[in-house]
PDB file of all heavy atoms in Angstrom:
ATOM      1  N   VAL A   2      91.166  35.452  16.904  1.00 76.00           N
ATOM      2  CA  VAL A   2      90.858  36.089  15.671  1.00 76.00           C
ATOM      3  C   VAL A   2      90.183  37.399  15.674  1.00 76.00           C
ATOM      4  O   VAL A   2      89.932  38.017  14.735  1.00 76.00           O
ATOM      5  CB  VAL A   2      89.859  35.071  14.927  1.00 76.00           C
ATOM      6  CG1 VAL A   2      90.536  33.775  14.596  1.00 76.00           C
ATOM      7  CG2 VAL A   2      88.648  34.796  15.740  1.00 76.00           C
ATOM      8  N   ILE A   3      89.832  37.951  16.955  1.00 72.00           N
ATOM      9  CA  ILE A   3      89.148  39.228  17.088  1.00 72.00           C
ATOM     10  C   ILE A   3      90.067  40.311  17.611  1.00 72.00           C
ATOM     11  O   ILE A   3      89.593  41.306  18.082  1.00 72.00           O
ATOM     12  CB  ILE A   3      87.912  39.162  17.871  1.00 72.00           C
ATOM     13  CG1 ILE A   3      88.147  38.674  19.228  1.00 72.00           C
ATOM     14  CG2 ILE A   3      86.865  38.227  17.211  1.00 72.00           C
ATOM     15  CD1 ILE A   3      87.007  38.643  20.229  1.00 72.00           C
ATOM     16  N   ASP A   4      91.390  39.935  17.554  1.00 79.00           N
ATOM     17  CA  ASP A   4      92.305  41.020  18.140  1.00 79.00           C
ATOM     18  C   ASP A   4      93.449  41.081  17.150  1.00 79.00           C
ATOM     19  O   ASP A   4      94.339  40.326  17.029  1.00 79.00           O
ATOM     20  CB  ASP A   4      92.910  40.559  19.508  1.00 79.00           C
ATOM     21  CG  ASP A   4      93.856  41.548  20.145  1.00 79.00           C
ATOM     22  OD1 ASP A   4      94.400  42.430  19.501  1.00 79.00           O
ATOM     23  OD2 ASP A   4      93.775  41.595  21.484  1.00 79.00           O
ATOM     24  N   ASN A   5      93.439  42.180  16.365  1.00 85.00           N
ATOM     25  CA  ASN A   5      94.379  42.373  15.226  1.00 85.00           C
ATOM     26  C   ASN A   5      95.871  42.392  15.853  1.00 85.00           C
ATOM     27  O   ASN A   5      96.762  41.781  15.164  1.00 85.00           O
ATOM     28  CB  ASN A   5      94.147  43.609  14.501  1.00 85.00           C
ATOM     29  CG  ASN A   5      92.883  43.513  13.670  1.00 85.00           C
ATOM     30  OD1 ASN A   5      92.364  42.441  13.344  1.00 85.00           O
ATOM     31  ND2 ASN A   5      92.321  44.625  13.313  1.00 85.00           N
ATOM     32  N   GLU A   6      96.151  43.038  16.880  1.00 89.00           N
ATOM     33  CA  GLU A   6      97.446  43.094  17.474  1.00 89.00           C
ATOM     34  C   GLU A   6      97.914  41.730  17.917  1.00 89.00           C
ATOM     35  O   GLU A   6      99.006  41.426  17.763  1.00 89.00           O
ATOM     36  CB  GLU A   6      97.491  44.022  18.564  1.00 89.00           C
ATOM     37  CG  GLU A   6      98.801  44.288  19.319  1.00 89.00           C
ATOM     38  CD  GLU A   6      99.838  44.831  18.264  1.00 89.00           C
ATOM     39  OE1 GLU A   6      99.402  45.559  17.403  1.00 89.00           O
ATOM     40  OE2 GLU A   6     100.978  44.518  18.473  1.00 89.00           O
ATOM     41  N   GLN A   7      97.018  40.987  18.457  1.00 88.00           N
ATOM     42  CA  GLN A   7      97.377  39.620  18.901  1.00 88.00           C
ATOM     43  C   GLN A   7      97.624  38.748  17.700  1.00 88.00           C
ATOM     44  O   GLN A   7      98.611  37.866  17.754  1.00 88.00           O
ATOM     45  CB  GLN A   7      96.310  39.016  19.871  1.00 88.00           C
ATOM     46  CG  GLN A   7      96.638  37.594  20.481  1.00 88.00           C
ATOM     47  CD  GLN A   7      97.835  37.879  21.363  1.00 88.00           C
ATOM     48  OE1 GLN A   7      97.832  38.624  22.205  1.00 88.00           O
ATOM     49  NE2 GLN A   7      98.814  36.982  21.253  1.00 88.00           N
ATOM     50  N   ILE A   8      96.889  38.902  16.635  1.00 91.00           N
ATOM     51  CA  ILE A   8      97.166  38.189  15.440  1.00 91.00           C
ATOM     52  C   ILE A   8      98.618  38.411  14.967  1.00 91.00           C
ATOM     53  O   ILE A   8      99.307  37.611  14.485  1.00 91.00           O
ATOM     54  CB  ILE A   8      96.150  38.476  14.319  1.00 91.00           C
ATOM     55  CG1 ILE A   8      94.785  37.945  14.746  1.00 91.00           C
ATOM     56  CG2 ILE A   8      96.533  37.868  13.007  1.00 91.00           C
ATOM     57  CD1 ILE A   8      93.639  38.314  13.820  1.00 91.00           C
ATOM     58  N   LEU A   9      98.891  39.702  15.010  1.00 94.00           N
ATOM     59  CA  LEU A   9     100.324  39.982  14.558  1.00 94.00           C
ATOM     60  C   LEU A   9     101.339  39.478  15.350  1.00 94.00           C
ATOM     61  O   LEU A   9     102.374  38.832  14.912  1.00 94.00           O
ATOM     62  CB  LEU A   9     100.440  41.649  14.523  1.00 94.00           C
ATOM     63  CG  LEU A   9     101.922  42.189  14.139  1.00 94.00           C
ATOM     64  CD1 LEU A   9     102.376  41.664  12.755  1.00 94.00           C
ATOM     65  CD2 LEU A   9     101.990  43.725  14.257  1.00 94.00           C
ATOM     66  N   GLN A  10     101.129  39.410  16.784  1.00 94.00           N
ATOM     67  CA  GLN A  10     102.186  38.878  17.656  1.00 94.00           C
ATOM     68  C   GLN A  10     102.199  37.356  17.444  1.00 94.00           C
ATOM     69  O   GLN A  10     103.337  36.688  17.511  1.00 94.00           O
ATOM     70  CB  GLN A  10     101.755  39.214  19.137  1.00 94.00           C
ATOM     71  CG  GLN A  10     101.774  40.710  19.487  1.00 94.00           C
ATOM     72  CD  GLN A  10     103.060  41.330  19.116  1.00 94.00           C
ATOM     73  OE1 GLN A  10     104.233  40.712  19.365  1.00 94.00           O
ATOM     74  NE2 GLN A  10     103.127  42.484  18.519  1.00 94.00           N
ATOM     75  N   ASP A  11     101.112  36.691  17.345  1.00 95.00           N
ATOM     76  CA  ASP A  11     101.077  35.349  16.988  1.00 95.00           C
ATOM     77  C   ASP A  11     101.739  34.878  15.634  1.00 95.00           C
ATOM     78  O   ASP A  11     102.491  33.859  15.551  1.00 95.00           O
ATOM     79  CB  ASP A  11      99.593  34.651  17.047  1.00 95.00           C
ATOM     80  CG  ASP A  11      99.034  34.693  18.399  1.00 95.00           C
ATOM     81  OD1 ASP A  11      99.804  34.767  19.394  1.00 95.00           O
ATOM     82  OD2 ASP A  11      97.809  34.827  18.472  1.00 95.00           O
ATOM     83  N   CYS A  12     101.583  35.747  14.719  1.00 96.00           N
ATOM     84  CA  CYS A  12     102.159  35.565  13.400  1.00 96.00           C
ATOM     85  C   CYS A  12     103.715  35.601  13.551  1.00 96.00           C
ATOM     86  O   CYS A  12     104.417  34.810  12.987  1.00 96.00           O
ATOM     87  CB  CYS A  12     101.762  36.597  12.437  1.00 96.00           C
ATOM     88  SG  CYS A  12     102.472  36.434  10.827  1.00 96.00           S
ATOM     89  N   LYS A  13     104.135  36.551  14.268  1.00 97.00           N
ATOM     90  CA  LYS A  13     105.665  36.784  14.569  1.00 97.00           C
ATOM     91  C   LYS A  13     106.211  35.533  15.252  1.00 97.00           C
ATOM     92  O   LYS A  13     107.241  35.034  14.971  1.00 97.00           O
ATOM     93  CB  LYS A  13     105.861  38.121  15.350  1.00 97.00           C
ATOM     94  CG  LYS A  13     105.694  39.263  14.368  1.00 97.00           C
ATOM     95  CD  LYS A  13     105.697  40.607  15.162  1.00 97.00           C
ATOM     96  CE  LYS A  13     107.099  40.946  15.796  1.00 97.00           C
ATOM     97  NZ  LYS A  13     107.074  42.269  16.427  1.00 97.00           N
ATOM     98  N   LYS A  14     105.540  35.173  16.280  1.00 96.00           N
ATOM     99  CA  LYS A  14     105.924  33.931  17.043  1.00 96.00           C
ATOM    100  C   LYS A  14     106.064  32.653  16.134  1.00 96.00           C
ATOM    101  O   LYS A  14     107.115  31.956  16.203  1.00 96.00           O
ATOM    102  CB  LYS A  14     105.018  33.555  18.206  1.00 96.00           C
ATOM    103  CG  LYS A  14     105.060  34.543  19.258  1.00 96.00           C
ATOM    104  CD  LYS A  14     103.990  34.131  20.446  1.00 96.00           C
ATOM    105  CE  LYS A  14     103.904  35.110  21.560  1.00 96.00           C
ATOM    106  NZ  LYS A  14     102.962  34.738  22.546  1.00 96.00           N
ATOM    107  N   GLU A  15     105.133  32.598  15.233  1.00 97.00           N
ATOM    108  CA  GLU A  15     105.223  31.364  14.249  1.00 97.00           C
ATOM    109  C   GLU A  15     106.327  31.657  13.333  1.00 97.00           C
ATOM    110  O   GLU A  15     107.020  30.717  12.829  1.00 97.00           O
ATOM    111  CB  GLU A  15     103.964  31.189  13.600  1.00 97.00           C
ATOM    112  CG  GLU A  15     103.761  30.052  12.686  1.00 97.00           C
ATOM    113  CD  GLU A  15     103.825  28.678  13.296  1.00 97.00           C
ATOM    114  OE1 GLU A  15     103.631  28.728  14.583  1.00 97.00           O
ATOM    115  OE2 GLU A  15     104.005  27.716  12.663  1.00 97.00           O
ATOM    116  N   GLY A  16     106.526  32.806  12.868  1.00 97.00           N
ATOM    117  CA  GLY A  16     107.591  33.139  12.044  1.00 97.00           C
ATOM    118  C   GLY A  16     108.923  32.840  12.535  1.00 97.00           C
ATOM    119  O   GLY A  16     109.713  32.300  11.819  1.00 97.00           O
ATOM    120  N   TYR A  17     109.132  33.094  13.810  1.00 97.00           N
ATOM    121  CA  TYR A  17     110.404  32.762  14.441  1.00 97.00           C
ATOM    122  C   TYR A  17     110.705  31.326  14.361  1.00 97.00           C
ATOM    123  O   TYR A  17     111.805  30.835  14.260  1.00 97.00           O
ATOM    124  CB  TYR A  17     110.406  33.226  15.873  1.00 97.00           C
ATOM    125  CG  TYR A  17     110.356  34.790  16.039  1.00 97.00           C
ATOM    126  CD1 TYR A  17     109.645  35.348  17.102  1.00 97.00           C
ATOM    127  CD2 TYR A  17     110.961  35.598  15.279  1.00 97.00           C
ATOM    128  CE1 TYR A  17     109.531  36.736  17.183  1.00 97.00           C
ATOM    129  CE2 TYR A  17     110.986  37.024  15.408  1.00 97.00           C
ATOM    130  CZ  TYR A  17     110.125  37.620  16.398  1.00 97.00           C
ATOM    131  OH  TYR A  17     110.032  38.865  16.504  1.00 97.00           O
ATOM    132  N   LYS A  18     109.707  30.514  14.586  1.00 96.00           N
ATOM    133  CA  LYS A  18     109.748  29.024  14.509  1.00 96.00           C
ATOM    134  C   LYS A  18     110.123  28.647  13.122  1.00 96.00           C
ATOM    135  O   LYS A  18     110.960  27.676  12.900  1.00 96.00           O
ATOM    136  CB  LYS A  18     108.484  28.334  14.954  1.00 96.00           C
ATOM    137  CG  LYS A  18     108.069  28.604  16.424  1.00 96.00           C
ATOM    138  CD  LYS A  18     106.763  27.853  16.684  1.00 96.00           C
ATOM    139  CE  LYS A  18     106.206  28.283  18.142  1.00 96.00           C
ATOM    140  NZ  LYS A  18     104.850  27.683  18.318  1.00 96.00           N
ATOM    141  N   LEU A  19     109.539  29.212  12.082  1.00 97.00           N
ATOM    142  CA  LEU A  19     109.817  28.773  10.716  1.00 97.00           C
ATOM    143  C   LEU A  19     111.201  29.315  10.155  1.00 97.00           C
ATOM    144  O   LEU A  19     111.653  28.628   9.279  1.00 97.00           O
ATOM    145  CB  LEU A  19     108.569  29.409   9.837  1.00 97.00           C
ATOM    146  CG  LEU A  19     107.272  28.831  10.115  1.00 97.00           C
ATOM    147  CD1 LEU A  19     106.320  29.640   9.252  1.00 97.00           C
ATOM    148  CD2 LEU A  19     107.156  27.276   9.871  1.00 97.00           C
ATOM    149  N   ILE A  20     111.746  30.301  10.806  1.00 97.00           N
ATOM    150  CA  ILE A  20     113.029  30.798  10.345  1.00 97.00           C
ATOM    151  C   ILE A  20     114.154  29.789  10.731  1.00 97.00           C
ATOM    152  O   ILE A  20     114.305  29.402  11.890  1.00 97.00           O
ATOM    153  CB  ILE A  20     113.368  32.143  11.048  1.00 97.00           C
ATOM    154  CG1 ILE A  20     112.482  33.094  10.415  1.00 97.00           C
ATOM    155  CG2 ILE A  20     114.802  32.539  10.772  1.00 97.00           C
ATOM    156  CD1 ILE A  20     112.530  34.594  11.087  1.00 97.00           C
ATOM    157  N   THR A  21     114.811  29.300   9.761  1.00 95.00           N
ATOM    158  CA  THR A  21     115.763  28.235   9.956  1.00 95.00           C
ATOM    159  C   THR A  21     117.215  28.723  10.413  1.00 95.00           C
ATOM    160  O   THR A  21     118.066  28.087  10.836  1.00 95.00           O
ATOM    161  CB  THR A  21     116.015  27.405   8.608  1.00 95.00           C
ATOM    162  OG1 THR A  21     116.364  28.345   7.558  1.00 95.00           O
ATOM    163  CG2 THR A  21     114.808  26.794   8.227  1.00 95.00           C
ATOM    164  N   PHE A  22     117.382  30.096  10.265  1.00 96.00           N
ATOM    165  CA  PHE A  22     118.505  30.773  10.712  1.00 96.00           C
ATOM    166  C   PHE A  22     118.677  30.693  12.198  1.00 96.00           C
ATOM    167  O   PHE A  22     117.867  31.368  12.801  1.00 96.00           O
ATOM    168  CB  PHE A  22     118.616  32.164  10.059  1.00 96.00           C
ATOM    169  CG  PHE A  22     119.915  32.929  10.333  1.00 96.00           C
ATOM    170  CD1 PHE A  22     120.826  33.047   9.345  1.00 96.00           C
ATOM    171  CD2 PHE A  22     120.196  33.533  11.632  1.00 96.00           C
ATOM    172  CE1 PHE A  22     121.994  33.780   9.482  1.00 96.00           C
ATOM    173  CE2 PHE A  22     121.365  34.232  11.768  1.00 96.00           C
ATOM    174  CZ  PHE A  22     122.282  34.327  10.697  1.00 96.00           C
ATOM    175  N   GLN A  23     119.743  30.162  12.668  1.00 94.00           N
ATOM    176  CA  GLN A  23     119.879  29.955  14.197  1.00 94.00           C
ATOM    177  C   GLN A  23     120.966  30.892  14.637  1.00 94.00           C
ATOM    178  O   GLN A  23     122.141  30.494  14.554  1.00 94.00           O
ATOM    179  CB  GLN A  23     120.135  28.534  14.558  1.00 94.00           C
ATOM    180  CG  GLN A  23     119.131  27.523  14.197  1.00 94.00           C
ATOM    181  CD  GLN A  23     117.774  27.893  14.857  1.00 94.00           C
ATOM    182  OE1 GLN A  23     117.815  28.267  16.036  1.00 94.00           O
ATOM    183  NE2 GLN A  23     116.704  27.568  14.218  1.00 94.00           N
ATOM    184  N   PRO A  24     120.650  32.067  15.222  1.00 96.00           N
ATOM    185  CA  PRO A  24     121.677  32.975  15.647  1.00 96.00           C
ATOM    186  C   PRO A  24     122.467  32.531  16.908  1.00 96.00           C
ATOM    187  O   PRO A  24     121.713  32.052  17.839  1.00 96.00           O
ATOM    188  CB  PRO A  24     120.974  34.430  15.780  1.00 96.00           C
ATOM    189  CG  PRO A  24     119.470  33.885  16.022  1.00 96.00           C
ATOM    190  CD  PRO A  24     119.245  32.707  15.343  1.00 96.00           C
ATOM    191  N   LEU A  25     123.606  32.984  17.133  1.00 96.00           N
ATOM    192  CA  LEU A  25     124.368  32.733  18.319  1.00 96.00           C
ATOM    193  C   LEU A  25     124.576  33.964  19.168  1.00 96.00           C
ATOM    194  O   LEU A  25     124.817  34.057  20.439  1.00 96.00           O
ATOM    195  CB  LEU A  25     125.697  32.101  18.065  1.00 96.00           C
ATOM    196  CG  LEU A  25     125.747  30.632  17.478  1.00 96.00           C
ATOM    197  CD1 LEU A  25     127.133  30.255  17.166  1.00 96.00           C
ATOM    198  CD2 LEU A  25     125.024  29.726  18.486  1.00 96.00           C
ATOM    199  N   TYR A  26     124.549  35.147  18.421  1.00 96.00           N
ATOM    200  CA  TYR A  26     124.882  36.310  19.120  1.00 96.00           C
ATOM    201  C   TYR A  26     123.758  37.466  19.140  1.00 96.00           C
ATOM    202  O   TYR A  26     123.970  38.607  19.305  1.00 96.00           O
ATOM    203  CB  TYR A  26     126.073  36.960  18.349  1.00 96.00           C
ATOM    204  CG  TYR A  26     127.113  35.979  18.126  1.00 96.00           C
ATOM    205  CD1 TYR A  26     127.350  35.582  16.663  1.00 96.00           C
ATOM    206  CD2 TYR A  26     127.891  35.414  18.998  1.00 96.00           C
ATOM    207  CE1 TYR A  26     128.268  34.551  16.504  1.00 96.00           C
ATOM    208  CE2 TYR A  26     128.785  34.337  18.731  1.00 96.00           C
ATOM    209  CZ  TYR A  26     129.044  34.040  17.484  1.00 96.00           C
ATOM    210  OH  TYR A  26     129.943  33.006  17.101  1.00 96.00           O
ATOM    211  N   ALA A  27     122.611  36.941  18.742  1.00 95.00           N
ATOM    212  CA  ALA A  27     121.393  37.811  18.879  1.00 95.00           C
ATOM    213  C   ALA A  27     120.191  36.885  19.022  1.00 95.00           C
ATOM    214  O   ALA A  27     120.196  35.750  18.767  1.00 95.00           O
ATOM    215  CB  ALA A  27     121.275  38.636  17.671  1.00 95.00           C
ATOM    216  N   GLN A  28     119.009  37.495  19.475  1.00 94.00           N
ATOM    217  CA  GLN A  28     117.766  36.794  19.520  1.00 94.00           C
ATOM    218  C   GLN A  28     117.139  36.849  18.200  1.00 94.00           C
ATOM    219  O   GLN A  28     117.261  37.950  17.550  1.00 94.00           O
ATOM    220  CB  GLN A  28     116.877  37.182  20.690  1.00 94.00           C
ATOM    221  CG  GLN A  28     117.509  36.875  22.000  1.00 94.00           C
ATOM    222  CD  GLN A  28     116.620  37.293  23.153  1.00 94.00           C
ATOM    223  OE1 GLN A  28     116.277  38.594  23.227  1.00 94.00           O
ATOM    224  NE2 GLN A  28     116.416  36.486  24.023  1.00 94.00           N
ATOM    225  N   LYS A  29     116.265  35.943  17.801  1.00 95.00           N
ATOM    226  CA  LYS A  29     115.689  36.070  16.502  1.00 95.00           C
ATOM    227  C   LYS A  29     114.743  37.306  16.504  1.00 95.00           C
ATOM    228  O   LYS A  29     114.505  37.839  15.485  1.00 95.00           O
ATOM    229  CB  LYS A  29     114.718  34.759  16.331  1.00 95.00           C
ATOM    230  CG  LYS A  29     115.551  33.589  15.828  1.00 95.00           C
ATOM    231  CD  LYS A  29     114.575  32.393  15.463  1.00 95.00           C
ATOM    232  CE  LYS A  29     115.331  31.233  14.948  1.00 95.00           C
ATOM    233  NZ  LYS A  29     114.594  30.068  14.597  1.00 95.00           N
ATOM    234  N   SER A  30     114.086  37.582  17.670  1.00 94.00           N
ATOM    235  CA  SER A  30     113.227  38.727  17.656  1.00 94.00           C
ATOM    236  C   SER A  30     113.957  40.086  17.314  1.00 94.00           C
ATOM    237  O   SER A  30     113.511  40.905  16.646  1.00 94.00           O
ATOM    238  CB  SER A  30     112.475  38.842  19.034  1.00 94.00           C
ATOM    239  OG  SER A  30     113.574  38.974  20.049  1.00 94.00           O
TER     240      SER A  30
END
């Protein structure tokens, strides 16, 4: 909670999990 950049990275990781779109020809990132 004391690292804003880490919060953003953790948020993106969780976002990838929540995205239901499953690509075959690219990574979610």
Side-chain angles (χ1 to χ4, degrees):
V2 293
I3 59 174
D4 188 330
N5 291 339
E6 182 60 31
Q7 188 60 51
I8 290 174
L9 176 60
Q10 296 307 316
D11 290 339
C12 180
K13 288 168 69 175
K14 287 180 184 177
E15 183 66 15
Y17 297 139
K18 294 178 186 176
L19 294 173
I20 290 172
T21 57
F22 188 97
Q23 298 298 329
L25 294 177
Y26 318 109
Q28 294 180 309
K29 282 186 177 181
S30 57

